[in-house]
Amino acid sequence: YSEGETTVDLGTQQARIALSIASLVLHVMVPTSDCTHQVDYSGQLLSFCTDVKYEFTEAQRECVRRFAFPSEEPAEPLWPWQLPRRVSSTQLLTMPRFAVGFDNEELLRELREDQSEKDPMFVLSIRPRSAPPEVLVDPDAGKLMSWPSNLLLSKAIFFLH
């Protein structure tokens, strides 16, 4: 919004939370009815990132405009009170290299020791249910709402006994 030479940016706002773990090792004991099993996980450079984009509603834009450019005349109240509208949201979990074992037997590991961090073994991308859905239009079914997820497992080797 612009009035005279003063400009107020009321565009999309973004919030990001990122978490990186250089090295992670887990040993979990799983009890069953006849014995206890051990699950082992070891990984490097685990990262989690969540992005959310918001946009002000029309009432919120008007409120900011009134605050930035007050007038002498009394203003009508703006109702109803609203939260900013969520435009998009994604969550991304990336594990460049990791290994999983069960009872001291290797189950999954990287295919090559020299794998690049730019080519991760595991990537999970999720659109949370709290985010706006992707709308798919089908002539027979009408509008379909979708919250797509993507799971990528690359250059990994599985061991099954």
Side-chain angles (χ1 to χ4, degrees), residues 57-128:
T57 63
E58 197 57 44
Q60 290 167 331
R61 287 187 181 128
E62 177 61 18
C63 184
V64 171
R65 188 195 65 74
R66 288 180 186 180
F67 183 76
F69 309 106
S71 68
E72 296 296 321
E73 58 194 56
E76 239 179 79
L78 296 172
W79 298 105
W81 185 83
Q82 301 168 333
L83 289 172
R85 188 173 68 86
R86 188 177 292 195
V87 176
S88 68
S89 180
T90 57
Q91 296 174 346
L92 182 66
L93 176 65
T94 306
M95 292 185 269
R97 291 185 294 275
F98 68 97
V100 177
F102 184 75
D103 284 343
N104 295 320
E105 296 286 333
E106 201 171 38
L107 288 180
L108 174 69
R109 69 168 170 84
E110 61 192 330
L111 190 57
R112 296 189 336 256
E113 294 288 328
D114 61 340
Q115 264 181 235
S116 166
E117 293 173 18
K118 294 179 182 177
D119 191 17
M121 279 179 65
F122 180 88
V123 177
L124 176 62
S125 174
I126 300 172
R127 181 179 295 183

